[in-house]
Amino acid sequence: MAKKVFKSILSVAVLVLLVTTFFIVNEMYRSFTNSQLEVLRGQARVIAYGINKDGLSFIDQLDDAEYRITIINDKGQVIYDNIDSDINTMDNHLDRKEVIEAFSQGYGSSIRQSSTLTERYIYTAMKLSDGNVVRLASTYPSVFHFLTIIAEPLLLLILLIILVSFYMAYKLANRIVEPLNRIDTDVPEQIPYNEIRPIMEKLSAQKKMIENDKETLRRNRQEFETITANMSEGLVLLNDEMIVIDINRSAKEILDIDEELIGKKISEISSYEKLASLLNDGLLGHRSTRKVILNGKRYDAEVSPVEMDKQVIGIVLFLFDDSYKEASEEMRKEFASNVSHELKTPLQTISGYSELLKNGFVKAEDQDEFADKIYLESQRMMKLIEDVIKLSHLDNEELQIHRELIDLNELCKEAVEMMKDNSEKIRISYEGEAVQVYGNRELIESIVFNLVENAIRYNVEGGKVDVKVCSDADNAILEVKDTGIGIDPADHERIYERFYRVDKGRSKNTGGTGLGLSIVKHACILNNASIRLESALGEGSTFRVLFPKA
Ligand code: ADP
């Protein structure tokens, strides 16, 4: 901008200089011509006076007259010429402007261009008392000659003025532009030129708007990135030239890509062939799904076109892990086969014993024992069915549980009191403090029952169980501590699995189903509680359940 201003100022200055020079030179030449004319007129007057007084002899008295002196009679004939003596051959002068004027007005003058470009002729004529006209002729420099005479000082002057203009233009341009460079659009009130204040205010408002928009875009982008980065599904956004616009972490893992792919063609990835026809479907505007195997794992790949004004401008590729479906299907099958296996044993016992009884193969004194066996096995079956039903109920993803404020201390105290009645060999103690939790009563009861039941079941003779309810800053804590057989740390993770038992025989003999701790784990999750275990073989076990305080 400074350059532009500088150039403009300089061009204006040079133009003004040239125009001014032209007029000044013109004026100088005009006044030079006038002064020449005045001088010649004065001379003409003197010579006319002399002739009138002394006749032609006056001219002869003039030594080396600087002018050509010609005397013309009223017929236009030259009767005297101080330069050319052959006056008879000379043209009639009655058509000359200065002569005509002198005859009619007493005085005349004219200027004519000479045959050379460097000179001009200047004439003045005076009427004499005898009726003739005396004419003085002289030369003076033409305008070109005049220019060459004054060229040197003139050019020097022009150069000097140009240099000064150059310097002034430079200074002026900087002075104009410098405040503009210091303009802060955030404070339009401090703008140095009133003329640009409105536009600056507009710019400032627009800048603020753009900054707000940028901030909103940044936040949206961040939200989008946070969401997509934490998605377990793979997500790839492509434009209509199959160039990757965005790709999330999961997609990179699924497609086994380490390097940056944004801005590159999707065809560069090694698994492109497997997705090519699906992506082409998307480009043609079709929504479509395929099963693909990527790095040995099965995925559901889904492509959706992104359209604007009925034109496909991009596509979205989703990659869903299919293997978890297989795993849960596998778990479901395993659970079903475990349940039928668990049911088969008591059923076989019941059916065998009752057949013996029915066919009268059991002696009268053994009949009570058989009936007890049948009762016990049917109890075990009922417990198993009850637990399976409870677990499948808790498994239901759409399960809505009722929550209420519960005094954990009261609830646990009552449950332990009930359990005390069923346990003669193991001493159960309870201590607690009042602490409230917000949860489902039935589920919390099942946590207490299962943990205390296990503490009794896997205890040693003469052992004891201590149940405690306490709290810390954030949690209400249920602690069930036993002096039992303990659990090897290697089994700590697995004991919550369905039908996992560390000691199968002991569990079955004591009426265990292998589902108790699975139910406890589910009930904890549904009550936002966590469960921890401290135990080692032969050293008893302590289960702690941490409920968030209400
Ligand atoms: P079960 O009906 O067999 O008790 P659970 O799911 O309640 O089934 O427990 C799983 C297994 O964890 C039990 O079979 C047992 O081996 C072990 N276990 C659970 N609680 C205790 C405990 N307090 N002491 C020792 N072992 C335990």
Side-chain angles (χ1 to χ4, degrees):
M1 168 141 185
K3 243 184 189 173
K4 247 186 176 173
V5 175
F6 167 75
K7 271 188 189 169
S8 308
I9 296 174
L10 192 64
S11 343
V12 170
V14 170
L15 192 74
V16 168
L17 174 71
L18 291 178
V19 172
T20 320
T21 309
F22 173 78
F23 281 109
I24 289 173
V25 169
N26 194 45
E27 192 52 37
M28 274 168 73
Y29 188 66
R30 207 174 59 78
S31 69
F32 172 69
T33 304
N34 283 342
S35 69
Q36 291 292 312
L37 212 60
E38 272 312 301
V39 169
L40 205 62
R41 183 189 176 140
Q43 293 296 327
R45 198 173 284 136
V46 170
I47 288 170
Y49 176 79
I51 295 171
N52 283 339
K53 198 169 161 248
D54 300 336
L56 280 177
S57 59
F58 175 77
I59 302 171
D60 295 335
Q61 289 167 30
L62 297 171
D63 294 335
D64 298 330
E66 293 166 47
Y67 320 103
R68 183 175 186 174
I69 305 168
T70 312
I71 298 180
I72 303 136
N73 66 14
D74 58 351
K75 294 195 176 58
Q77 290 160 340
V78 175
I79 55 170
Y80 173 83
D81 192 283
N82 65 341
I83 301 233
D84 197 346
S85 51
D86 194 5
I87 51 171
N88 295 328
T89 57
M90 288 175 81
D91 293 339
N92 188 299
H93 276 44
L94 216 52
D95 58 345
R96 312 285 161 93
K97 181 179 169 274
E98 70 281 3
V99 177
I100 297 167
E101 282 172 7
F103 275 122
S104 60
Q105 295 156 27
Y107 172 75
S109 68
S110 79
I111 292 168
R112 286 196 283 281
Q113 187 63 46
S114 85
S115 52
T116 66
L117 277 175
T118 55
E119 278 184 337
R120 297 183 91 190
Y121 289 126
I122 182 169
Y123 302 94
T124 53
M126 281 279 169
K127 200 171 175 181
L128 298 170
S129 51
D130 57 5
N132 292 331
V133 160
V134 61
R135 187 187 76 168
L136 264 67
S138 178
T139 57
Y140 79 105
S142 71
V143 77
F144 303 107
H145 192 188
F146 181 77
L147 272 176
T148 56
I149 295 166
I150 60 163
E152 203 182 335
L154 186 71
L155 283 177
L156 266 173
L157 187 71
I158 290 177
L159 197 72
L160 192 72
I161 294 176
I162 287 181
L163 280 175
V164 172
S165 309
F166 200 91
Y167 176 75
M168 295 292 283
Y170 173 77
K171 281 272 162 199
L172 213 60
N174 277 346
R175 192 180 293 175
I176 293 171
V177 172
E178 200 255 345
L180 292 176
N181 290 336
R182 276 190 288 112
I183 284 178
D184 183 355
T185 45
D186 289 336
V187 262
E189 312 81 48
Q190 288 177 11
I191 285 162
Y193 303 116
N194 285 340
E195 293 79 359
I196 58 168
R197 188 160 293 156
I199 190 166
M200 280 303 164
E201 279 169 357
K202 234 183 212 172
L203 269 178
S204 163
Q206 270 173 1
K207 189 179 158 196
K208 271 184 200 141
M209 252 167 66
I210 291 169
E211 265 161 18
N212 284 345
D213 288 354
K214 254 170 73 183
E215 180 56 22
T216 317
L217 270 177
R218 195 190 60 76
R219 252 186 280 124
N220 288 350
R221 169 108 206 143
Q222 211 171 29
E223 273 171 27
F224 178 75
E225 271 169 9
T226 316
I227 294 167
T228 56
N230 294 316
M231 270 167 56
S232 55
E233 295 84 13
L235 173 75
V236 188
L237 301 181
L238 301 161
N239 71 7
D240 56 346
E241 287 168 10
M242 293 278 207
I243 288 171
V244 179
I245 296 170
D246 213 336
I247 180 164
N248 72 348
R249 186 183 41 78
S250 298
K252 278 187 161 183
E253 279 169 17
I254 295 167
L255 297 168
D256 197 17
I257 302 164
D258 292 330
E259 83 275 24
E260 187 52 80
L261 202 65
I262 294 175
K264 293 185 186 160
K265 286 224 161 209
I266 186 85
S267 51
E268 286 182 20
I269 65 168
S270 56
S271 37
Y272 173 69
E273 285 302 313
K274 294 178 183 168
L275 299 165
S277 73
L278 180 73
L279 295 172
N280 281 327
D281 277 357
L283 273 189
L284 294 171
H286 308 305
R287 197 189 173 119
S288 138
T289 319
R290 302 270 150 87
K291 290 222 178 288
V292 279
I293 296 177
L294 299 164
N295 296 316
K297 272 177 109 181
R298 285 163 60 91
Y299 291 93
D300 277 331
E302 186 181 315
V303 74
S304 303
V306 180
E307 293 181 354
M308 193 185 267
D309 299 331
K310 294 187 179 159
Q311 285 272 318
V312 177
I313 56 159
I315 45 178
V316 184
L317 170 70
F318 272 110
L319 296 165
F320 301 97
D321 189 350
D322 200 20
S323 50
Y324 79 95
K325 282 192 200 161
E326 280 179 19
S328 65
E329 180 66 8
E330 202 51 46
M331 258 174 68
R332 202 185 57 76
K333 279 187 195 155
E334 200 182 300
F335 183 59
S337 98
N338 274 333
V339 171
S340 48
H341 178 76
E342 294 287 332
L343 283 173
K344 211 161 130 192
T345 326
L347 255 176
Q348 271 173 348
T349 315
I350 293 167
S351 121
Y353 279 27
S354 39
E355 198 177 343
L356 288 175
L357 279 171
K358 189 182 96 180
N359 293 332
F361 293 139
V362 183
K363 287 187 238 154
E365 63 264 31
D366 294 333
Q367 278 183 5
D368 278 355
E369 194 191 329
F370 271 62
D372 274 354
K373 277 261 180 205
I374 291 170
Y375 175 74
L376 212 74
E377 289 302 323
S378 33
Q379 284 296 307
R380 190 205 298 235
M381 261 178 70
M382 271 166 63
K383 172 86 168 72
L384 182 65
I385 290 165
E386 231 172 66
D387 280 358
V388 168
I389 290 171
K390 199 178 262 177
L391 208 52
S392 54
H393 174 67
L394 296 179
D395 256 351
N396 183 358
E397 282 172 9
E398 279 153 36
L399 175 71
Q400 299 279 335
I401 61 162
H402 167 73
R403 287 171 211 275
E404 59 188 305
L405 265 182
I406 297 164
D407 185 334
L408 190 65
N409 180 38
E410 292 269 306
L411 184 149
C412 293
K413 203 155 110 188
E414 277 170 29
V416 170
E417 283 307 318
M418 278 166 68
M419 308 276 297
K420 269 185 184 165
D421 301 342
N422 303 334
S423 159
E424 293 133 24
K425 292 179 189 153
I426 306 293
R427 280 178 298 125
I428 304 178
S429 75
Y430 179 82
E431 71 170 281
E433 62 177 75
V435 58
Q436 299 243 312
V437 295
Y438 188 69
N440 179 278
R441 180 173 291 276
E442 211 181 311
L443 291 177
I444 298 176
E445 272 171 1
S446 77
I447 294 173
V448 188
F449 279 125
N450 275 298
L451 290 180
V452 178
E453 209 168 55
N454 280 351
I456 298 169
R457 187 177 292 147
Y458 301 104
N459 220 315
V460 289
E461 249 193 73
K464 61 178 187 125
V465 175
D466 296 320
V467 183
K468 190 170 148 188
V469 166
C470 56
S471 66
D472 64 15
D474 306 315
N475 304 297
I477 305 164
L478 161 67
E479 190 179 288
V480 180
K481 186 174 179 179
D482 66 56
T483 52
I485 57 172
I487 307 167
D488 190 327
D491 290 312
H492 283 196
E493 287 266 305
R494 299 208 61 193
I495 52 171
Y496 301 103
E497 287 175 20
R498 291 159 193 207
F499 295 114
Y500 184 80
R501 295 158 166 123
V502 181
D503 182 345
K504 226 175 193 156
R506 185 167 183 145
S507 163
K508 289 200 169 170
N509 290 340
T510 50
T513 60
L515 295 176
L517 286 181
S518 296
I519 293 169
V520 168
K521 182 94 188 178
H522 265 74
C524 283
I525 292 170
L526 289 166
N527 281 289
N528 300 322
S530 58
I531 183 161
R532 292 170 196 171
L533 167 62
E534 255 175 49
S535 181
L537 266 183
E539 290 182 15
S541 311
T542 305
F543 283 91
R544 272 191 200 89
V545 182
L546 280 75
F547 297 90
K549 264 183 180 173

